Amino acid sequence: MKLVGIIGGTGNIGEGLARRICQGGKYDVLIGSREAAKAEAAACRVTESLQTCTCELPGGPVGTCGCGTNANVCSADIIILSVPFDKVASTIESIGVACFEKKIVISLINPMLRYPKEKYFLPDRPVEGSAALAIQKMLPPSAKLITAFNNVASGKWELIDEVLDYSIVVCGDDKEAKATVMDLTRSISRLQPLDGGPLAMSGVVESITPLVITLALRNGLKDVGVYFR
Ligand SMILES: NC(=O)c1ccc[n+]([C@@H]2O[C@H](COP(=O)([O-])OP(=O)(O)OC[C@H]3O[C@@H](n4cnc5c(N)ncnc54)[C@H](OP(=O)(O)O)[C@@H]3O)[C@@H](O)[C@H]2O)c1
């Protein structure tokens, strides 16, 4: 089975994402953290929830959920960066940029300006035009950066008893890496991957999330998802 490592896998998104990927039964997951013990606690919760869930599981066994430091999980075939945007540079630096050589790296990161009292959120694009284009500069040239999963709220990843049937826009410049990430997407519940074009399009996709949160806040909706049909 292929292995997916999640850097910052202990967070709001990371743990639910780990659950969903394991649930699909096609990938094993390693949850990463700055603290190995924190990663272990999260991996135990994921394993326990998969054992007790009443949801429809794939025919075969589910994937396993292991853990380690952020550096440890970079041994995986696919690495997901799941930390706040302003922590990405220091995280990559502390892991060591060489760990990302030739890896498929997924960014689901959406930098945002938050105005919760006024009930609106705005994209907070770095000078490069998107988080992904900024992150690409932090990674070695041999890393294949792909954006995916940017527009799914953490609450939706968590609820593994519920079907997840959103569209997932996948952007990137490496055709093979993009196809690999689209396969990973297809392995999760009923997610539908859509080719969103090159990494240059990532700013558009990252900007959808502040819109979605604003719509949820102003219209009394919860965990709004995106469907392109
Ligand atoms: N939340 C959502 O609904 C949502 C939806 C779509 C996309 N996203 C994107 O997904 C990414 C993760 O979101 P999240 O809500 O899961 O974030 P989060 O829970 O705030 O943080 C994720 C993990 O980042 C690590 N972290 C926190 N502070 C750090 C620091 N100073 N240095 C290094 N690592 C640090 C922590 O892991 P350890 O303490 O274990 O190291 C934490 O568990 C964000 O970039 C966000 O834009 C979020």
Side-chain angles (χ1 to χ4, degrees), residues 7-14 32-35 38-39 70 81-85 87 90-91 108-112 114 149-155 157 209:
I7 293 174
T10 54
N12 297 318
I13 282 279
S33 167
R34 288 167 294 174
E35 294 169 49
K38 195 173 166 189
N70 284 329
L81 275 172
S82 186
V83 296
F85 177 60
K87 307 298 184 253
S90 58
T91 300
L108 44 69
I109 295 170
N110 309 305
M112 276 186 275
R114 294 155 200 266
F149 310 126
N150 295 72
N151 310 131
V152 181
S154 58
W157 291 116
T209 299

Side-chain angles (χ1 to χ4, degrees), residues 134-156:
I135 293 167
Q136 191 177 38
K137 283 183 163 179
M138 302 172 199
L139 293 171
S142 66
K144 298 152 198 167
L145 183 64
I146 305 289
T147 54
F149 310 126
N150 295 72
N151 310 131
V152 181
S154 58
K156 290 291 176 191

Side-chain angles (χ1 to χ4, degrees), residues 61-159:
V62 297
T64 62
C65 187
C67 55
T69 61
N70 284 329
N72 295 149
V73 307
C74 288
S75 60
D77 307 287
I78 301 170
I79 301 167
I80 302 179
L81 275 172
S82 186
V83 296
F85 177 60
D86 60 346
K87 307 298 184 253
V88 176
S90 58
T91 300
I92 292 174
E93 199 189 337
S94 68
I95 292 170
V97 76
C99 291
F100 297 89
E101 291 280 0
K102 297 184 183 158
K103 293 284 182 179
I104 295 175
V105 181
I106 301 177
S107 167
L108 44 69
I109 295 170
N110 309 305
M112 276 186 275
L113 295 168
R114 294 155 200 266
Y115 302 98
K117 263 200 219 148
E118 295 84 355
K119 293 193 176 178
Y120 72 96
F121 284 56
L122 289 175
D124 186 16
R125 290 184 178 175
V127 285
E128 289 81 0
S130 69
L133 292 172
I135 293 167
Q136 191 177 38
K137 283 183 163 179
M138 302 172 199
L139 293 171
S142 66
K144 298 152 198 167
L145 183 64
I146 305 289
T147 54
F149 310 126
N150 295 72
N151 310 131
V152 181
S154 58
K156 290 291 176 191
W157 291 116
E158 287 286 335
L159 301 171

